[in-house]
């Protein structure tokens, strides 16, 4: 299973950006998918999660500004980021708990990351 994130870039404060992540490989089902971000020298920070039942959770610093959506049938998840600030700068990683075979435990996977830079 591979996760491929895309959509990062350089934007100005107050701008919006939409990240995408697609899962590929042997996939039976997806339990949940999430976004994390990391700034060099800091620990990876959880941003948002969406479950297969549509439950969404957000980190406190992005609540009200970011929206996570998904289409698990298409094995995709998106992160809509609005009103971006320089503090949102970092490498954004896609993460998923994915089942390769029915009736087996999920395995956690990470994507390669996409850079988001918010600067004037």
């Amino acid at each position: 299973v591979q996760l491929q994130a895309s959509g990062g870039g350089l934007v100005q404060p107050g701008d919006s950006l939409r990240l995408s992540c697609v899962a590929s490989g042997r996939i039976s089902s997806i339990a949940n998918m999430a976004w994390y971000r990391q700034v060099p020298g800091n620990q990876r920070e959880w941003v948002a999660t969406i479950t297969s039942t549509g439950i969404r959770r957000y980190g406190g610093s992005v609540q009200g500004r970011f929206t996570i959506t998904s289409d698990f049938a298409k094995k995709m998840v998106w992160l809509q980021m609005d009103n971006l600030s320089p503090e949102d700068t970092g490498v954004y990683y896609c993460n998923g708990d994915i089942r390769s075979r029915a009736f087996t435990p999920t395995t956690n996977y990470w994507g390669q990351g996409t850079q988001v830079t918010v600067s004037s």
Side-chain angles (χ1 to χ4, degrees):
V1 174
Q2 297 83 38
L3 301 180
Q4 179 73 39
S6 61
L10 172 62
V11 297
Q12 295 186 341
D15 284 353
S16 297
L17 204 58
R18 189 188 193 211
L19 305 182
S20 300
C21 176
V22 58
S24 61
R26 183 169 184 169
I27 297 173
S28 172
S29 63
I30 298 174
N32 58 69
M33 296 189 77
W35 289 95
Y36 288 74
R37 65 187 181 188
Q38 188 169 24
V39 176
N42 290 1
Q43 288 188 339
R44 194 166 292 187
E45 175 191 13
W46 169 68
V47 174
T49 297
I50 187 165
T51 71
S52 59
T53 58
I55 297 173
R56 308 176 192 184
R57 296 188 177 92
Y58 299 94
S61 62
V62 307
Q63 181 78 43
R65 300 187 299 120
F66 290 13
T67 303
I68 187 170
T69 56
S70 68
D71 184 342
F72 282 178
K74 295 182 179 179
K75 304 178 181 62
M76 294 195 70
V77 64
W78 298 271
L79 185 68
Q80 176 67 38
M81 305 185 293
D82 297 321
N83 193 23
L84 285 161
S85 71
E87 289 70 33
D88 295 314
T89 294
V91 178
Y92 283 69
Y93 295 91
C94 178
N95 176 272
D97 288 317
I98 298 171
R99 190 174 285 108
S100 293
R101 297 180 181 178
F103 312 112
T104 62
T106 59
T107 299
N108 188 259
Y109 295 93
W110 290 93
Q112 87 291 355
T114 183
Q115 176 70 46
V116 173
T117 303
V118 185
S119 175
S120 56

